[in-house]
Amino acid sequence: IMGASNGGFGTVRCQLHLRQVLVTLNTRPIQKPEVMVSLVQNKIDAAGRLTDEKTREAVRGLLVALAAWVEQLRG
């Protein structure tokens, strides 16, 4: 789960609720890393490209975790 907002909390509450729903549905979302981008308007350029290196690293970490999770499912 990954989210971005123009406010200071970066989708914290939304992600918490979504995780509760996913548990109820017996799904297996990736738990870590959590990616919640706050003040996203300061982290993208006019073309919509992510320019904030810390955020880019967080997204990269989530993609690495996703790839590892897919490999585990392949078993």
Side-chain angles (χ1 to χ4, degrees):
I1 301 171
M2 175 173 36
S5 73
N6 62 351
F9 291 106
T11 69
V12 171
R13 292 172 67 185
C14 179
Q15 287 193 35
L16 175 62
H17 181 65
L18 181 56
R19 288 179 188 280
Q20 291 172 333
V21 170
L22 293 174
V23 166
T24 301
L25 295 173
N26 200 31
T27 65
R28 293 192 256 168
I30 297 171
Q31 299 298 326
K32 299 279 182 174
E34 295 179 318
V35 179
M36 298 173 223
V37 182
S38 59
L39 304 173
V40 70
Q41 69 276 13
N42 300 330
K43 299 175 182 177
I44 57 173
D45 64 15
R49 290 181 293 252
L50 185 58
T51 57
D52 182 67
E53 190 55 40
K54 184 177 177 182
T55 304
R56 290 173 63 89
E57 188 59 36
V59 171
R60 188 176 297 115
L62 183 57
L63 293 174
V64 167
L66 175 61
W69 184 76
V70 168
E71 285 302 314
Q72 284 182 350
L73 291 177
R74 288 184 180 171

